[in-house]
Amino acid sequence: AAPLLEVKNLEVSFPTKTKTLVAVRDVSFTLHRGERLGLVGESGAGKSITGFSILKLISRPGRISGGSILFEGRDLAPLSEQEMRPLRGDRISMIFQDPMMTLNPVLTIGTQMVETLQAHRRLSRREAQDIAIETLRAVRIPSPEKRMAQYPHQFSGGMRQRIVIAIALLTRPSLIIADEPTTALDVTIQAEILDLLLELAEHEGMGLLLITHDLAVVSQVTDRVAVMYAGRIVEIGPTEQVVHAPQHPYTQGLLAALPQTHAGEPGTGRLAQIHGIMPSLYNTPTGCAFHPRCPVRIHACSEDAPALRPCGQTGVLAACHLVE
Ligand code: SF4
Ligand code: MG
């Protein structure tokens, strides 16, 4: 069978008056059924744009300018808005950082869930209500029957994000794309929600594409991770390998910037920093886009862009001239 999702050489660009800005370039990855893949990097790396392009939610004039997005074997890249609509929120669901991107403040949770279900399935109100209650129970909302009659503001932030997850699960999608799903929550609640997401994805056999700036989140939840920088994947491989033996200097920098206790390793608690900032799309550096910030750059780095290639026998690919 075809993989759940196969993104090949994806390119996303935004034309402006003076030039075309390429936000995502030559991005390729595969996500198998039941697998969890992290897309990680600093803000501006192109992670969200990559996630949004799978659902064709890039706002105009931005567009997918190259590559393919095979979902269950079918290329979504050429599909029209009308052809995409039945897939969104049905076979593929999205979870955003802000629950209010999903929830309507003036409708009860029950109404929103029933309407979402009825938009995709021929169900009576009663049948839809039963599925909604069962799904609220799955995300551990206490007394779901009563809670159905309440409005979003009557729930805490963590509860609201559970409800968003429940809405994403209603149609039992085969793929969930979650963009910083816990970033707005405090640390304890964040860990609970991630555990829940992990458990549900495993239980339902769903693929999960988890977009985050936080490598600690990636190591808690994902099987594989792709590290993005300036619109490209610079390292991709099994999460264990990438987190324990990062190959690319940027990944090494991201890891060094984590409070050590997060990764579950003894450490100094010192916050190392990668100097400088992510380049803007207006002036992406020549050669390896990371070279102005790279502590180990060599002369070739400012001239030649390194290709992603396998390093050793670990199943990891990295794009760096120094990686063997
Ligand atoms: Fe650093 Fe050069 Fe590797 Fe880029 S290619 S990460 S600049 S060493
Ligand atoms: Mg983002």
Side-chain angles (χ1 to χ4, degrees):
L4 178 61
L5 178 69
E6 208 177 353
V7 173
K8 287 187 195 163
N9 311 108
L10 178 68
E11 183 182 285
V12 181
S13 35
F14 292 82
T16 69
K17 282 210 179 84
T18 48
K19 68 194 270 199
T20 295
L21 305 177
V22 182
V24 168
R25 208 184 274 271
D26 202 18
V27 161
S28 301
F29 60 84
T30 301
L31 177 60
H32 294 281
R33 279 159 228 278
E35 192 182 35
R36 297 172 298 274
L37 175 73
L39 274 187
V40 72
E42 293 162 288
S43 108
K47 327 178 285 290
S48 297
I49 294 177
T50 300
F52 278 56
S53 49
I54 294 165
L55 281 167
K56 309 271 307 270
L57 289 174
I58 302 294
S59 38
R60 263 184 274 263
R63 65 185 193 97
I64 295 171
S65 45
S68 52
I69 299 166
L70 299 166
F71 173 68
E72 296 179 332
R74 176 189 189 198
D75 190 4
L76 306 184
L79 297 192
S80 68
E81 179 57 26
Q82 205 179 354
E83 292 168 309
M84 275 307 293
R85 218 170 289 138
L87 285 170
R88 278 188 212 129
D90 189 342
R91 306 302 304 137
I92 310 175
S93 288
M94 183 121 192
I95 298 171
F96 300 96
Q97 174 176 339
D98 177 2
M100 297 317 283
M101 290 279 289
T102 306
L103 300 175
N104 184 332
V106 303
L107 297 178
T108 64
I109 296 305
T111 301
Q112 298 187 53
M113 294 183 84
V114 166
E115 282 179 0
T116 302
L117 260 170
Q118 286 183 327
H120 294 285
R121 299 280 183 278
R122 300 188 70 137
L123 294 170
S124 70
R125 189 164 180 85
R126 190 54 199 265
E127 289 166 325
Q129 272 170 344
D130 287 346
I131 295 172
I133 289 167
E134 179 196 320
T135 313
L136 287 175
R137 199 166 279 130
V139 300
R140 301 198 202 102
I141 298 287
S143 330
E145 293 87 349
K146 280 187 209 139
R147 294 297 225 162
M148 290 275 282
Q150 297 187 323
Y151 293 88
H153 75 266
Q154 295 175 284
F155 294 83
S156 67
M159 286 284 201
R160 274 200 288 268
Q161 200 56 309
R162 282 172 198 270
I163 291 165
V164 167
I165 294 172
I167 291 175
L169 284 173
L170 277 174
T171 56
R172 301 299 183 262
S174 52
L175 173 61
I176 289 198
I177 300 173
D179 190 5
E180 306 277 8
T182 58
T183 304
L185 303 170
D186 73 53
V187 179
T188 340
I189 304 205
Q190 175 167 338
E192 277 172 30
I193 300 273
L194 290 172
D195 276 344
L196 176 69
L197 204 51
L198 175 61
E199 181 195 310
L200 293 166
E202 267 179 346
H203 185 256
E204 303 285 332
M206 293 176 306
L208 176 67
L209 183 66
L210 179 67
I211 298 167
T212 175
H213 67 285
D214 190 344
L215 264 174
V217 166
V218 160
S219 49
Q220 187 184 340
V221 177
T222 66
D223 310 298
R224 288 195 311 127
V225 58
V227 180
M228 290 190 73
Y229 189 83
R232 292 179 188 266
I233 293 178
V234 295
E235 181 161 359
I236 182 167
T239 304
E240 278 275 315
Q241 293 287 343
V242 172
V243 169
H244 288 105
Q247 298 296 312
H248 194 281
Y250 178 61
T251 317
Q252 291 165 357
L254 278 182
L255 271 162
L258 276 185
Q260 297 290 307
T261 48
H262 260 231
E265 263 150 36
T268 59
R270 185 178 58 96
L271 270 174
Q273 296 290 344
I274 311 169
H275 294 288
I277 53 162
M278 175 84 58
S280 99
L281 292 177
Y282 286 91
N283 48 12
T284 306
T286 56
C288 171
F290 186 57
H291 86 259
R293 301 172 75 185
C294 183
V296 294
R297 66 176 172 263
I298 54 174
H299 186 69
C301 299
S302 57
E303 281 158 21
D304 305 324
L308 262 183
R309 52 182 181 194
C311 21
Q313 301 296 312
T314 57
V316 174
L317 307 179
C320 170
H321 292 307
L322 298 186
V323 165
E324 297 296 319

